[in-house]
Amino acid sequence: MEILRAENISKSFAGVKVLDNVRLQVEGGSVHALMGENGAGKSTFMNILMGMFPPDEGSLYIRGKEVRFAGARDAIRHGLSMIHQELLVFPELTVAENILMRREPLARGGWISRSRLYGQAAELMKQLEITIPVHEKMKNLSIGAMQMVEIVKAVSNQASVFIMDEPTSAISQRETAILFRIIDALKQQGKAIIYISHKMDEIFRVADAVTVLRDGKYIATREKDALDMQELITLIVGRELGNLYRKEETHPGDVLLEVKGLHAAGARGVSFAVRKGEVMGIAGLMGSGRTSIAHAIAGMEKITSGELLLNGLPARIDSPGAAKKQGIGLVTEDRKQWGLIPEASVKHNMVLSSLKKHSRSMLLDPARENAVADREIERFRIRASSRNQAVKSLSGGNQQKVVLSGMHLNSPGLIILDEPTRGVDIGAKQEIYQYISSQAALGKAVILISSELPEILALSDRILVIREGRVKAELGREEASQELIMKYAMTHEPAN
Amino acid sequence: QGGGQTDGKLVIGASMLSLQSEFIVKVKDAMEAEASEQQVKLIVNDAQRAAVRQVQQVESFIAQGVDAIILNPCEMEASSPAVQKAKEAGIPIINVNSETSAEPDGFVGSRDEESAEIALEHIVNLLDGRGNIVVMHGYMGQAAQLKRAAATKTVLADHPGITILAEQTAEWDRAKAMSLMENWIQSYGSKINAVFAQNDEMGMGALQALEQAGLKEKVVVVSIDAIDDALRAVKEGRLDATVYQNADEQGRKAVQMAVDYIQKSDSAAGGSIYIPFQLVTRENVDHFLK
Amino acid sequence: MNQLIENLPAKRIMNGGYLRKYGMLSAFALICLILSLVTPNFFSLQNVTIILRQVSINGILAIGVTFVIISGGIDLSLGSVVAFTGVVAALFAHPGEYPLIAALTAAILAGLAIGGLNGLAVTRGKVAPFIVTLGMMTIARGLALVASEGRPVTNLSDSFNYIGGGSLLGVPVPILIFSAIILVSSFLLNKTRIGRYMYAVGGNEKAAYASGVPVNTVKVVSYMICSGMAAIAGIVLASRITTGQPNAGVAYELDAIAAVVIGGTSLAGGIGSIGGTVLGVLLIGVINNGLDLLNISSYYQQIIKGVIIIAAALIDRKK
Amino acid sequence: MNQLIENLPAKRIMNGGYLRKYGMLSAFALICLILSLVTPNFFSLQNVTIILRQVSINGILAIGVTFVIISGGIDLSLGSVVAFTGVVAALFAHPGEYPLIAALTAAILAGLAIGGLNGLAVTRGKVAPFIVTLGMMTIARGLALVASEGRPVTNLSDSFNYIGGGSLLGVPVPILIFSAIILVSSFLLNKTRIGRYMYAVGGNEKAAYASGVPVNTVKVVSYMICSGMAAIAGIVLASRITTGQPNAGVAYELDAIAAVVIGGTSLAGGIGSIGGTVLGVLLIGVINNGLDLLNISSYYQQIIKGVIIIAAALIDRKK
Ligand SMILES: Nc1ncnc2c1ncn2[C@@H]1O[C@H](COP(=O)(O)OP(=O)(O)OP(=O)(O)O)[C@@H](O)[C@H]1O
Ligand SMILES: Nc1ncnc2c1ncn2[C@@H]1O[C@H](COP(=O)(O)OP(=O)(O)OP(=O)(O)O)[C@@H](O)[C@H]1O
Ligand SMILES: [Mg+2]
Ligand SMILES: [Mg+2]
């Protein structure tokens, strides 16, 4: 049965048409996937459905009746609930307060009952088998955990349509499995789900139908039975895509970085070495300490003990500036917090960390900056109206590419990539993979952290598996497999 | 009473209107000089122009058990609770410089209206009773501004030949007065015959603006307070006149009265001492310049 | 992310809650200890009462503006609102004209109206809070002068003057009012939905909107609470100085905001507590009182006061 | 994200750059138009010169604090710094004692030192800028009073007084200084690396840090520029009123910050321009001048001024 239908939706920002006559129809008890490249207009479309802002044109029907939303409150009242791509959390409030915002249980006097608030939230967590303490302040959680809280918040709404805009971009397989269990349950209850993701395997796992957008236009809708991977990719990117994971041949050289007994906030005695010209993958579950290791090497986190050797010499890296000087570049997993100046333009974001290189002593060199920015926009195929567009108005995937190019412009010898394909579309992923393997072929050392095992497996020469801040295994390219990695990542050992 | 004595010395608490005002600082200096001659301990608090702070300071003095209080009121009415509190606590309180509506045990100072009367009369004389004047007010609503404004009205009522072209506040501030005068020159140009500024700071500002516009020769400027800068300007023939208020005598007499009051502890020691204002012109300015 | 994050003000402020409060609490305790050692009268019941009465006006204002700041706004108009509402109250408080309640109602309605206008200009008008309330600061001052014709409004009834000058069971009335406001405000902010929504709106306005929080209503209410409190402060002040003074309250907003910030509320919004604000108010009050008791020359008082405020904040973040 | 985002202050300001500037520019043009219709002298060369001279001190201060605000800070101390540095300059400017340069150097060094202290307290001390500069506000006022013993420092040399009172080729010196500062500041902010870093630090401090921007240095420099400008303003003011006034400059910080915010710079940091600030300064200056020319009663002046400021901001966001 049809629950929600959108027709002829159009929307422009500052004269640029972002959505052009798109449509969508979702049925109760099914999952409708929405796909498209970065910047295709998926999030804009969903935000319109959710009443976050009005469309320029078009109409919306719920169970056949036309509706108009004056705001998100209206949409919620009409039974919509959304997980936003951009995390929309209250960092200073607790997990429970975040989950039950606008649904706080009241005591008899009309005031908020704290005990019931925390009780209800804990109950929800238990039902969904998620172990995040409900008294914790939101800001103390990792992004993955925040994402889980957002999921709980959205799915615990009494809604009939659930919109999920890239809910899995920041979580690992274990959490994704939980989400899929939730989705199955919602389907059982006859709810409609709109699901956005760039991960093909997920789409084939959950979707009952797929609608594809390209350049703000409606392209096609396919039922599950008629779905074919190659065709879908072609619909999305508008062209044939070759082998996704093409890896150039690498010739590992001397050791560039050696880490000895590293202790930091989330790392407990980590040792490994990376050679020039190799890609070393780091795999692990959410919260296992991968980001801590990356941050410690890149000067973003205090090293409490242990030693770093660069080219065999002890290195003192106490700030990102110091790391940069010594040829270490990091692409952060949390671009909103650590990666971008939202108000600044694409160009300014790109050249920020390499500004010294691209200016004449203390003076800026605008012509050079422009040239560099245009070249990078070209290289990473960034979809922006111009190099001067504020980076915050780019789509998520394009923001990610800006972060990547900012790192690239410093041409570091050691590249650390923490979830570099978060929220990136399949075409762009291919480009990033090519970039990674070409950098290694050029003799750079690459550390690749990712929760997407296929990409780790395809691109890495060697894989470290991290659990609870420790290196649990080091697997060669040949021996590594998803099963083996998960075995090392998950096996529980008695704590020592 | 008397509990605040240290080494047997008498203790007097003083709450001053504002120690950022040049005139009040002079009064305070005189009080301190007198206090050290009389061998009494003087505690000086700065009320920073806020009546409520003044009330609080007097309450603190009462709590500390000082032997007498000297109040330099911020406001006529608003500082009155301070006087009442002291009297209820049986601690003698002397007002210095200006009055409150609640009657203190003694008063040393001047009638603020008088200063404006003297200044205005002088302007009227210089203009021969005919002409246009502009008036610069102090911070609106403060006692000094109100009294000087009231006196301006009463004096001018007797001189129908004088018209007020414009009046505006420059908040006692020289830079603001300069801007205001510049703007008035734009509006009224040579129609302005005289400026009355409620204090010397503003008078000096008006003077400088007029000089820069090349109009000083044609315009009379008179203000109040006799600060050093104004006295020098009078001597140089730039400022036409200022009005002198005797800070030294006010301060000294206030302390003397307080000490008398404590020692004789009877109301005969109180009463009111009015120290007259004096007009300062080029003729008598040397007498005031140190 | 330990070290790095500790280097960042945002995080530091966030580190928030208890830790921060206790840091400032120790600073406060330290200052009280020093003062009670060097000044014999400091810890007397009488002096403590005096301090509390002294801080009550700033306290009421600071609590009011805490609501606005937590919701992500600012209010610069409150000093002028104190003057305006004080004048309004005084105009209705002449002996034998109207009942006491008329003066109180008129002043509080005037305050709420100004707060409502501030809130509407911020929400409907979409003008930055700083500009709106700066404009309102001069508007309300002008209104106070117009209403009073530039003169202090005097001759107020005894019942009115009792509010600021009287005592109940030995406790000055302003302290009672201040205490009641502390209790009511804590309750409002922590136990009611609208209170929690203030944290939400200040913490992440877009997220609040997306969650269906009535963002505009929450903001308007916060401004109305703030100006309403300013009206109460205006009444207490007018009553204490037995005058409706059109030039009262100049720069009060700065003292109030200072107390709020010293108390650990972030000007960025979303963080803060009434308890912290009260602590900030007391800290400033104790410094003012102590420096007066010590009879330090007023020039040096200012220097010392500034140093103590910064030093207290330093201790605060060390903890 | 039109509607929602339009509800958000951040976005409104961001919508930024040109659009916003032109909104305020139209508001400014409209006000000028009305004033030139109702007051005959408004558009005379002489009056324009007068307006420019009148705004130059606030202009210098506003430009200084623009640097701090863009870097994500705030400076409340600048009014007191104006007084303190004015007094310092005056102390070295008595005729026949030292050369002119001594007075200028002393004042500017004093300003830079205060700015440096502010910057260090914010970066090393990790105290919120609001608290640091609020503390410094009272400290610098105290220093001004101590240095001058609470009295105006008078009797200054003619060469010193020329700075505020003189003209060069018919243009008053303060206007020349203000113009030079506009040019240098625009250059610094737009054409140099440190200027770019200021936007970055104000826009997202964490991301700037992670990019290797020397965050602390950038902040300290911004505070030093701000206090240095305040010293220049202090010199110009002392020279203009031929006195080092220890109680000068009270609340100047508010006027300066108001001009900056009216000019479209966000108090949240990361957005803003010198051009916008200059526009804000002119807007305030023109309103003050026009209301004086119209000889509107000072009570109503305040009301009208507040209304115009809010109305201009409304036009601004409509565009
Ligand atoms: N506020 C805005 N101003 C200008 N352009 C905008 C704004 N918001 C979105 N856009 C543009 O609209 C286009 C669609 O963005 P949207 O976020 O909907 O893409 P998306 O399909 O969700 O992409 P992704 O997969 O990367 O999340 C992008 O090109 C983006 O730059
Ligand atoms: N500042 C800190 N203080 C204490 N513990 C921390 C801190 N930062 C991280 N941790 C803990 O260290 C562990 C590793 O976190 P980290 O973010 O490095 O993991 P991750 O493998 O990258 O996971 P994710 O996929 O969530 O990013 C987590 O359990 C986290 O809670
Ligand atoms: Mg999207
Ligand atoms: Mg991670």
Side-chain angles (χ1 to χ4, degrees), chain B residues 123-136:
Chain B
I123 290 177
V124 171
N125 281 342
L126 290 177
L127 296 185
D128 283 334
R130 243 189 324 276
N132 299 318
I133 71 168
V134 290
V135 179
M136 286 190 179

Side-chain angles (χ1 to χ4, degrees), chain A residues 139-174:
Chain A
K139 64 169 190 228
N140 295 332
L141 304 186
S142 72
I143 337 183
M146 282 192 208
Q147 180 74 71
M148 291 310 287
V149 174
E150 290 275 272
I151 291 172
V152 174
K153 177 179 173 182
V155 301
S156 60
N157 259 322
Q158 292 301 318
S160 50
V161 180
F162 292 87
I163 301 171
M164 304 184 177
D165 193 351
E166 303 198 29
T168 57
S169 69
I171 55 181
S172 63
Q173 284 187 355
R174 187 178 49 181

Side-chain angles (χ1 to χ4, degrees), chain D residues 14-188:
Chain D
M14 287 180 284
N15 242 340
Y18 296 112
L19 223 121
R20 181 168 175 98
K21 216 188 228 154
Y22 292 143
M24 192 46 84
L25 204 58
S26 345
F28 178 69
L30 190 70
I31 290 168
C32 287
L33 186 74
I34 294 174
L35 282 174
S36 60
L37 290 179
V38 291
T39 56
N41 295 312
F42 180 76
F43 246 131
S44 65
L45 176 65
Q46 205 182 10
N47 193 44
V48 171
T49 311
I50 281 175
I51 294 176
L52 289 176
R53 187 169 53 194
Q54 285 174 3
V55 302
S56 55
I57 288 172
N58 186 33
I60 296 169
L61 293 171
I63 288 180
V65 78
T66 302
F67 286 91
V68 171
I69 294 177
I70 285 179
S71 317
I74 189 84
D75 191 347
L76 301 176
S77 69
L78 49 84
S80 301
V81 174
V82 165
F84 175 51
T85 54
V87 166
V88 168
L91 288 172
F92 286 89
H94 297 307
E97 288 189 2
Y98 305 94
L100 178 60
I101 192 76
L104 308 185
T105 314
I108 290 175
L109 285 181
L112 292 176
I114 289 182
L117 286 176
N118 280 338
L120 286 180
V122 167
T123 54
R124 303 269 142 209
K126 293 162 195 169
V127 178
F130 188 91
I131 297 183
V132 168
T133 59
L134 184 84
M136 190 54 86
M137 170 173 145
T138 77
I139 293 174
R141 179 69 58 192
L143 291 175
L145 288 163
V146 169
S148 65
E149 292 168 1
R151 290 179 182 73
V153 181
T154 57
N155 184 25
L156 312 184
S157 71
D158 288 343
S159 63
F160 183 78
N161 289 341
Y162 177 78
I163 300 170
S167 294
L168 212 70
L169 305 170
V171 186
V173 179
I175 300 184
L176 295 176
I177 297 177
F178 180 33
S179 312
I181 285 180
I182 294 175
L183 292 179
V184 172
S185 300
S186 302
F187 181 81
L188 205 62

